Amino acid sequence: MKAKTLFYCTECGNETPKWQGKCSACGAWNTVVERPPERAPARRGGGSSSAMRSIPLNQPKTMAEVDVTQELRFSTGMGELDRVLGGGAVRGSLVLVGGAPGIGKSTLMLQICDSLCRFASVLYVSGEESERQIKLRAERLKVRGEGLRLLSETNLENVLDAVHSLNPDILIVDSIQTLYHGDVTASPGSISQVKECTMALMQLAKGEGVTIFVVGHVNKEGSIAGPKVLEHMVDCVLYFEGERQMAYRILRAAKNRFGATNEIGVFEMEDVGLAEVPNPSEALLSGRPKDTPGTCVTCVMEGIRPVLAEIQALVVPSAYGTPRRVSNGLDHNRAMLLLAVMEKRGGLMTGGCDAYFNVIGGLRLEEPAADLAAAIALASSFRDKPVPSDLAAVGEVGLTGELRSVNALGQRLSEIARLGFTKCLIPKRVHGKLSIPPGLEVIRVSNIREALAALL
């Protein structure tokens, strides 16, 4: 007799005999998926007892018995990708790379094959392109790929059979949303299919030591499409950020079991693929206008790397009753907070003006160390007075207009001085002893009014 198929919620696990749009247990929408009929378990008695005893059991081990000598790292051939991964890829790890369409995920995976094939066997599985399309793209990117094996397949069972027959060291799957498991009746890309396929790849990586790179699509909110448990199963989650119309791409780690998650890699999209940007500060400041109101440079920390970024602001009288507030690269709520502080504590009457913020190069600034530079750029545009082109500003702005110190201020000042800036505006009170690089003049101010008086 055929077993009855049940439906279950991927959030809480509640089972229901029929599909429903909203889970009756947890109230989540669009989380009920079909569960395939379970196979009958083998009986413990009779002839199956010897088979059950023959299955080896995984015994617990003490901490001293665990061998970590096999946890080997290897370079992918791209220093920026190795930086984000924590020093290189780890043998037997499962890495998920996500990003918007056309951002460069497949390009990055194909480019690293050129270096990986020199010391390892690589299998590139694509469910979106044929072998001929992949070769044409490799020729355009000047990727030789000697020894690279290509497979255009969407059936997970066929992919696993190819892995077991070829026994590759590295497996690249592009993309996880195109694979389907034969035991799951849902369509490819659904929550249940993505979950089952990722679970099978995770068992392959952990059981046989194959390093797997998986490309994932993103939804309208910018997160990986599929169940949230997908990000919990993998070892590392990388996000490609940046606008398709802009040349620079930023690779950021949202999760990394083998390294830190505060590192970024900067790439530039060229005609022959992605090129590494070892000095992102210099690249992001290229073409900066001089003696122009509404721009200021700050220094933010991306992991252990200081990066200089240009913040621009534009303040114009509003033609409508409700002024517009637009922020690109800065947190919108943080930008509105700075507008209120500058009007209350800085004396800028911006209530009837449209205000626009922009961070050049597609970089997104999240730490409060960029507050002072954004406030100075806003005041510069409002008063139509330029900020000196050789000046940078670093500091957090409070609601009372005071300036607070930030971490790693010495490293920020060293990077500012290295790129030729001669002046830097910092908070008056700093933590610990501060080493000032030679040739850099430090201007200490205690609140936003003193900062505006010193510059404008």
Side-chain angles (χ1 to χ4, degrees):
M1 182 177 179
K2 185 178 179 180
K4 186 177 180 181
T5 302
L6 294 177
F7 295 83
Y8 73 101
C9 176
T10 58
E11 293 292 334
C12 63
N14 178 53
E15 292 186 351
T16 176
K18 61 180 181 179
W19 183 88
Q20 52 190 8
K22 181 180 179 181
C23 178
S24 57
C26 64
W29 286 90
N30 299 326
T31 58
V32 178
V33 297
E34 184 178 354
R35 171 178 289 168
E38 297 182 357
R39 299 177 180 176
R43 293 178 299 174
R44 295 184 179 273
S48 62
S49 60
S50 60
M52 292 292 294
R53 287 193 297 268
S54 63
I55 300 177
L57 298 178
N58 191 10
Q59 298 295 336
K61 299 180 180 179
T62 63
M63 184 73 74
E65 295 175 344
V66 178
D67 184 17
V68 296
T69 57
Q70 299 297 326
E71 210 72 55
L72 300 177
R73 288 188 183 270
F74 58 90
S75 175
T76 61
M78 280 195 168
E80 294 297 301
L81 177 59
D82 292 341
R83 175 194 295 271
V84 179
L85 290 174
V90 178
R91 180 178 178 270
S93 62
L94 180 58
V95 181
L96 177 63
V97 182
I103 203 69
K105 306 181 296 296
S106 301
T107 301
L108 178 64
M109 292 294 100
L110 190 57
Q111 283 187 251
I112 65 175
C113 291
D114 199 14
S115 175
L116 295 177
C117 288
R118 300 174 184 175
F119 61 89
S121 58
V122 183
L123 175 60
Y124 190 103
V125 178
S126 177
E128 303 172 349
E129 297 176 293
S130 63
E131 291 91 344
R132 182 176 179 273
Q133 288 177 307
I134 299 174
K135 183 176 180 180
L136 290 175
R137 184 157 54 91
E139 292 177 352
R140 178 177 60 84
L141 299 175
K142 294 182 173 53
V143 175
R144 297 184 303 273
E146 299 178 0
L148 174 63
R149 297 181 180 271
L150 305 178
L151 176 63
S152 179
E153 184 58 63
T154 57
N155 192 321
L156 179 63
E157 286 82 356
N158 296 339
V159 173
L160 296 180
D161 291 341
V163 171
H164 292 148
S165 61
L166 298 175
N167 195 20
D169 300 317
I170 301 169
L171 173 65
I172 299 177
V173 178
D174 185 10
S175 63
I176 189 62
Q177 278 80 13
T178 60
L179 290 183
Y180 70 92
H181 198 290
D183 295 338
V184 182
T185 58
S187 60
S190 62
I191 293 178
S192 55
Q193 284 285 6
V194 172
K195 180 180 177 181
E196 292 297 329
C197 293
T198 307
M199 180 66 69
L201 293 177
M202 182 186 69
Q203 294 174 353
L204 176 66
K206 304 305 178 185
E208 303 185 17
V210 181
T211 304
I212 303 178
F213 291 90
V214 176
V215 176
H217 298 168
V218 296
N219 52 26
K220 293 184 292 185
E221 288 77 18
S223 56
I224 299 292
K228 196 65 178 178
V229 70
L230 174 64
E231 300 186 19
H232 292 278
M233 288 191 291
V234 300
D235 297 316
C236 185
V237 180
L238 306 182
Y239 277 96
F240 244 136
E241 301 175 358
E243 301 293 336
R244 294 182 57 183
Q245 297 78 12
M246 306 187 71
Y248 294 109
R249 305 285 193 268
I250 297 175
L251 185 64
R252 192 185 304 270
K255 172 188 175 181
N256 192 356
R257 288 175 177 163
F258 306 106
T261 58
N262 51 7
E263 294 288 349
I264 66 167
V266 183
F267 300 87
E268 183 178 4
M269 181 63 76
E270 299 180 349
D271 295 336
V272 292
L274 292 168
E276 299 180 73
V277 182
N279 192 353
S281 298
E282 186 176 356
L284 294 173
L285 295 180
S286 61
R288 178 172 175 251
K290 296 183 179 180
D291 300 328
T292 303
T295 175
C296 188
V297 174
T298 187
C299 185
V300 296
M301 295 297 296
E302 296 289 352
I304 60 174
R305 169 192 285 185
V307 178
L308 266 64
E310 178 187 356
I311 302 178
Q312 292 184 347
L314 179 62
V315 181
V316 294
S318 179
Y320 304 96
T322 303
R324 293 195 63 190
R325 302 287 190 258
V326 179
S327 176
N328 183 24
L330 285 175
D331 181 69
H332 181 76
N333 295 328
R334 194 73 183 179
M336 298 307 100
L337 182 148
L338 291 176
L339 275 170
V341 171
M342 293 302 292
E343 184 165 357
K344 180 70 174 181
R345 309 298 179 186
L348 303 182
M349 298 295 104
T350 58
C353 299
D354 296 336
Y356 304 89
F357 293 91
N358 183 38
V359 180
I360 300 300
L363 194 66
R364 182 164 184 84
L365 308 183
E366 299 179 352
E367 65 168 333
D371 290 350
L372 183 55
I376 292 175
L378 179 72
S380 173
S381 177
F382 182 81
R383 298 182 180 179
D384 202 23
K385 293 183 179 180
V387 178
S389 58
D390 60 343
L391 180 135
V394 179
E396 179 183 358
V397 178
L399 290 180
T400 62
E402 85 281 5
L403 298 184
R404 300 293 184 91
S405 180
V406 296
N407 63 325
L409 187 56
Q411 291 181 320
R412 300 174 197 259
L413 294 180
S414 299
E415 180 71 8
I416 290 172
R418 188 181 69 84
L419 291 182
F421 289 85
T422 60
K423 300 177 183 178
C424 185
L425 197 67
I426 65 172
K428 190 172 184 179
R429 294 183 177 86
V430 297
H431 303 304
K433 186 177 180 181
L434 183 62
S435 177
I436 301 176
L440 181 65
E441 178 186 355
V442 174
I443 305 174
R444 300 173 182 263
V445 290
S446 58
N447 53 58
I448 197 65
R449 283 188 176 271
E450 293 184 9
L452 298 182
L455 298 181
L456 307 176

